[in-house]
Amino acid sequence: MESGYVTTPFGRRPMSLGMLASQQQAGTIEPGMMRSKWKLFRAICEARPALGVTDRALTVLDALLTFYPDDEISEEKGLIVFPSNAQLSLRARGMTPATLRRHLAVLVEAGLILRKDSPNGKRYARRDRAGAIGEAYGFSIAPLLARAVEIENLAAQAVADRELLRATRERLTICRRDISKLISAAIDEAVPGDWEQMTVMFRALVARIPRVASTEELASLLEEMGLLRDEAVNLLERQIKREKLDANESQIERHKQNSNPDSTIELEPSFDTKQGEKAAANNEGVAEPSDSQRLKLPRPSAGSGGKAPNAANPIAGHSLKSFPLGLVLQACPAILDYGPGGAIANWRDLMSAAVVVRSMLGVSPSAYEEACAGMGPENAATVIACILERGGHINSPGGYLRDLTRRTERGEFAIGPMLMALVRANGGAKRHAG
C-alpha cells in the first residue's frame, strides 16, 4: 500500500477525522507482516460485537476478500481490490446496490477497509507493459493487516467470554434443577421447615433471569441460588441426622439394662443438676462462678423454658448453619455502628455488638441466652443483627427471638432465607467491616 498517502472520498461524501485516523493506522504495518485472509476473516467474525459490524457487513467483507488474488495478505503483494458494483453484488449473495453501499460504509466506519477513490469515482487499476499493477483505485484492506493482532486478541477474548457464559448458564441450570428437586423431596417426605417460603424465594429468583443475560447477571443469580440450595441441603441433612439419632435411641432403649434400679448414679452426669448446684452455691457466696456463667452462656432451669443441648435435644445449637461474616454484614449493615470503634472485623466484634443491640431492643438476657444455646453464639448474634435491620416491622423483638429459638430446636428455622431477603432489600450494597 502507499504508506503515508492520504486520500479523500469522491463526490459529496465528506472527509472525517475518523477516516484520517484509519488511514494513518493503515500506514503502520510492520515490514514483512503477513496473515491468511480467511483465518483473519474468521477472527473478525468472532470479534464482530466488539468491532461494531453487522453480519450483512461481514458478507460484503467476505465478497471483497474473494477479489484479493492470494491467500496471504501482505503489503508486498498490494492491498487494493477494485471490483465493480455488479461483480461485488454477485459475490455478496445478490445484494442490491443501495444495500451494498450502506454496508460498505459500515466497514469503513469500523476501520476495517479504506476507500481509495479515483478522480472520477470509478474502481480500476493501471498496469504497466509487463502487466503489473502500477496504480489501483478501489478498497484498501490495509487496516485488516495493520489491526491483525488487535483483531486476534478480540476474537480470543470473545471466545473466552462465550465459554464462560455457557459454563455459567449450565451451572445455573443445574442449580435450578437441584433446588426444585430438593424442595419437592422435602415436601413429599414432610421434612420440617418453611418450604413454602423457600419456594416463593426460588420462583422470584427464576423470574429475575433475563432472556438475554450477561455473565455478571447470571453469576449474581447463581450465587443467590447457591445459598438457597445450601440451605435446602442443610435442612434435609438435619432431618437425616435426626432420623439416625431416633433410630439409635430406639435401639438403645431395647437393650437398656440396670442391675440396681434404686441407684442414683447415671451413665452420664446430669448437666441440669450441676448447673443448679453451682447457681445455689453462688447465691450463698461459697462457690466461685462457673465457666459458663463467666462466658454468659445460658443456664437451663425449670422456669425459664430454655433447653440445654443434651441427649434430649440433640440438634440444639449444633446443626444451624453459620454464614460468612461478610454476608451477614452485607445483609445487616446497621449493626456496624454498634461494633467496637464503629466497625466489625470478626465474629467477636459482632457478638459484642449484639449484646449492646440486645439491650437496646429490650430483649431480656434469658431470651438471648436461650438463643445462644439453641442456635450457637454466632447465629444468635446474626439473628439479633437481622432483628435490628427489620426493627420497624417487629413489635416484640424478645418474643420474636424466643419464637425463632423454639423453631430452631424443632428444626423449622433457617437463617439463609432471612439473610438473602435483607440483601435484596438493601440493594446488594456492601459496607466494609473494618
Side-chain angles (χ1 to χ4, degrees), residues 207-277:
R208 287 169 49 195
I209 301 177
R211 185 178 299 273
V212 180
S214 64
T215 304
E216 292 74 15
E217 291 172 330
L218 292 181
S220 176
L221 288 170
L222 179 61
E223 182 179 0
E224 294 189 45
M225 282 196 180
L227 290 175
L228 195 61
R229 178 177 59 184
D230 292 344
E231 195 62 37
V233 171
N234 184 42
L235 290 174
L236 292 174
E237 287 179 348
R238 288 166 59 182
Q239 178 66 13
I240 294 173
K241 292 178 182 178
R242 187 183 299 111
E243 292 177 354
K244 288 182 178 179
L245 287 173
D246 292 342
N248 291 337
E249 287 176 359
S250 63
Q251 185 177 7
I252 292 172
E253 286 292 333
R254 290 195 297 270
H255 293 84
K256 183 176 172 182
Q257 294 183 359
N258 190 350
S259 59
N260 185 6
D262 297 328
S263 174
T264 59
I265 301 176
E266 300 181 1
L267 294 177
E268 295 182 359
S270 173
F271 180 77
D272 293 347
T273 303
K274 289 188 176 182
Q275 292 289 348
E277 291 173 355

Side-chain angles (χ1 to χ4, degrees), residues 224 227 327 330-332 418-429:
E224 294 189 45
L227 290 175
L327 177 62
Q330 181 183 352
C332 310
M418 179 185 293
L419 287 176
M420 291 174 60
L422 289 174
V423 168
R424 288 195 299 273
N426 293 330

Side-chain angles (χ1 to χ4, degrees), residues 123-400:
R123 303 182 201 120
Y124 58 88
R126 295 192 183 278
R127 301 177 182 272
D128 57 19
R129 293 183 179 181
I133 297 176
E135 188 73 23
Y137 298 97
F139 297 104
S140 171
I141 59 175
L144 297 182
L145 199 56
R147 300 178 61 186
V149 176
E150 175 194 352
I151 291 171
E152 290 164 353
N153 291 336
L154 289 174
Q157 184 62 45
V159 172
D161 292 343
R162 186 172 63 248
E163 289 299 314
L164 179 60
L165 180 62
R166 180 191 58 78
T168 305
R169 281 188 178 279
E170 290 179 352
R171 292 172 59 195
L172 185 63
T173 300
I174 293 174
C175 191
R176 287 176 58 184
R177 182 186 66 197
D178 291 346
I179 295 173
S180 177
K181 299 285 186 181
L182 290 172
I183 292 177
S184 298
I187 295 175
D188 293 342
E189 299 288 340
V191 177
D194 195 354
W195 299 106
E196 182 177 354
Q197 176 64 21
M198 192 172 293
T199 301
V200 172
M201 295 177 62
F202 173 59
R203 290 175 178 172
L205 287 174
V206 173
R208 287 169 49 195
I209 301 177
R211 185 178 299 273
V212 180
S214 64
T215 304
E216 292 74 15
E217 291 172 330
L218 292 181
S220 176
L221 288 170
L222 179 61
E223 182 179 0
E224 294 189 45
M225 282 196 180
L227 290 175
L228 195 61
R229 178 177 59 184
D230 292 344
E231 195 62 37
V233 171
N234 184 42
L235 290 174
L236 292 174
E237 287 179 348
R238 288 166 59 182
Q239 178 66 13
I240 294 173
K241 292 178 182 178
R242 187 183 299 111
E243 292 177 354
K244 288 182 178 179
L245 287 173
D246 292 342
N248 291 337
E249 287 176 359
S250 63
Q251 185 177 7
I252 292 172
E253 286 292 333
R254 290 195 297 270
H255 293 84
K256 183 176 172 182
Q257 294 183 359
N258 190 350
S259 59
N260 185 6
D262 297 328
S263 174
T264 59
I265 301 176
E266 300 181 1
L267 294 177
E268 295 182 359
S270 173
F271 180 77
D272 293 347
T273 303
K274 289 188 176 182
Q275 292 289 348
E277 291 173 355
K278 290 186 179 181
N282 286 335
N283 291 335
E284 296 174 1
V286 177
E288 290 293 327
S290 65
D291 293 337
S292 63
Q293 291 168 331
R294 290 193 187 97
L295 296 174
K296 301 296 183 183
L297 294 177
R299 295 172 297 174
S301 61
S304 65
K307 295 182 181 180
N310 53 22
N313 188 19
I315 65 169
H318 296 282
S319 58
L320 193 62
K321 179 181 177 180
S322 297
F323 285 82
L325 179 62
L327 177 62
V328 175
L329 298 180
Q330 181 183 352
C332 310
I335 201 169
L336 286 167
D337 299 328
Y338 300 91
I344 294 177
N346 48 51
W347 281 106
R348 184 183 297 275
D349 292 346
L350 179 63
M351 289 187 281
S352 299
V355 172
V356 177
V357 172
R358 187 273 306 165
S359 176
M360 183 188 70
L361 294 176
V363 177
S364 64
S366 62
Y368 186 61
E369 290 175 356
E370 291 173 11
C372 288
M375 303 177 183
E378 294 86 356
N379 289 324
T382 300
V383 171
I384 288 292
C386 293
I387 293 176
L388 173 65
E389 200 69 27
R390 300 177 57 195
H393 305 281
I394 300 175
N395 294 327
S396 175
Y400 183 63

